[in-house]
Each structure stands twice: as C-alpha cells, then as structure tokens.
Amino acid sequence: TTTFLPPNIITPRQRDNKNDYFELDNVQAKLPPDFCDSRFAGIKIFTRWGNLVYQSGARSFRWDGGGLPGGVYYYLITFTDRRRYKGTITIAE
C-alpha cells in the first residue's frame, strides 16, 4: 500500500523559499499514481467554516495560501474511482 503523507504546514510569509507551497509534486507525499480507472480528479481547500478557498484539477497544483490569514485549512483530494484523501494544512504566520 501507498502511504500518503503530504506536508501539513506552509510558511509563505517567511520568504525563505522553504515550505512556501502546499503541493504533491514531491517524493514524500506518495499520492497513488494515475491508472486508467483511477485518475486524480482534483483538490479543494476549505476554511474551518467550510468555505471553498482553492480548487484545482491539476495534479501539479501549487497553493501558497492565496493571501489568506494564518491558520488551519482542510483539503479534500478526489480520484475518479471515488477514492478520497483528506487532511489539514496550516498556514504559519
């Protein structure tokens, strides 16, 4: 089985070019690969109140927090075979 462990904190305000983006284009995340019947469908990121603040259908997305305030946000990644991965991402001040 594949272990899905994406980063859970980003620090875009530090401007040190480290942990500036939430992305899955790295080896540590290990999101399952795309197959004919199971393909990456998209990601959505929500506030703690359930408001959608970001979405992308690209597996190579990069989210820098979009100028949102620091805090905890929730992501939902979906695949075409209805597999779902969810978790939190924190924007550090």
Side-chain angles (χ1 to χ4, degrees), residues 8-9 15-17 27-28 36 38 41 46-47 51 53 55 64 66 70 73 78 82 85 88-89 92:
N8 62 359
I9 190 165
R15 294 189 173 97
D16 61 1
N17 293 322
V27 177
Q28 290 96 3
C36 293
S38 177
F46 303 89
T47 65
N51 298 320
V53 294
Q55 68 179 359
D64 66 358
Y73 294 82
T78 55
R82 298 193 176 143
Y85 297 89
T88 60
I89 182 73

Side-chain angles (χ1 to χ4, degrees), residues 2-77:
T2 301
T3 301
F4 178 58
L5 296 171
N8 62 359
I9 190 165
I10 59 173
T11 57
R13 291 173 184 84
Q14 290 181 1
R15 294 189 173 97
D16 61 1
N17 293 322
K18 296 179 184 172
N19 302 317
D20 290 342
Y21 301 96
F22 177 56
E23 60 187 333
L24 303 177
D25 214 17
N26 63 41
V27 177
Q28 290 96 3
K30 296 192 184 207
L31 194 63
D34 286 339
F35 293 108
C36 293
D37 60 346
S38 177
R39 301 190 64 76
F40 180 86
I43 181 169
K44 292 181 179 179
I45 299 177
F46 303 89
T47 65
R48 62 183 172 169
W49 298 283
N51 298 320
L52 180 67
V53 294
Y54 178 81
Q55 68 179 359
S56 175
R59 188 181 185 108
S60 60
F61 74 91
R62 291 179 89 189
W63 183 62
D64 66 358
L68 293 166
V72 177
Y73 294 82
Y74 299 86
Y75 66 83
L76 173 63
I77 297 170

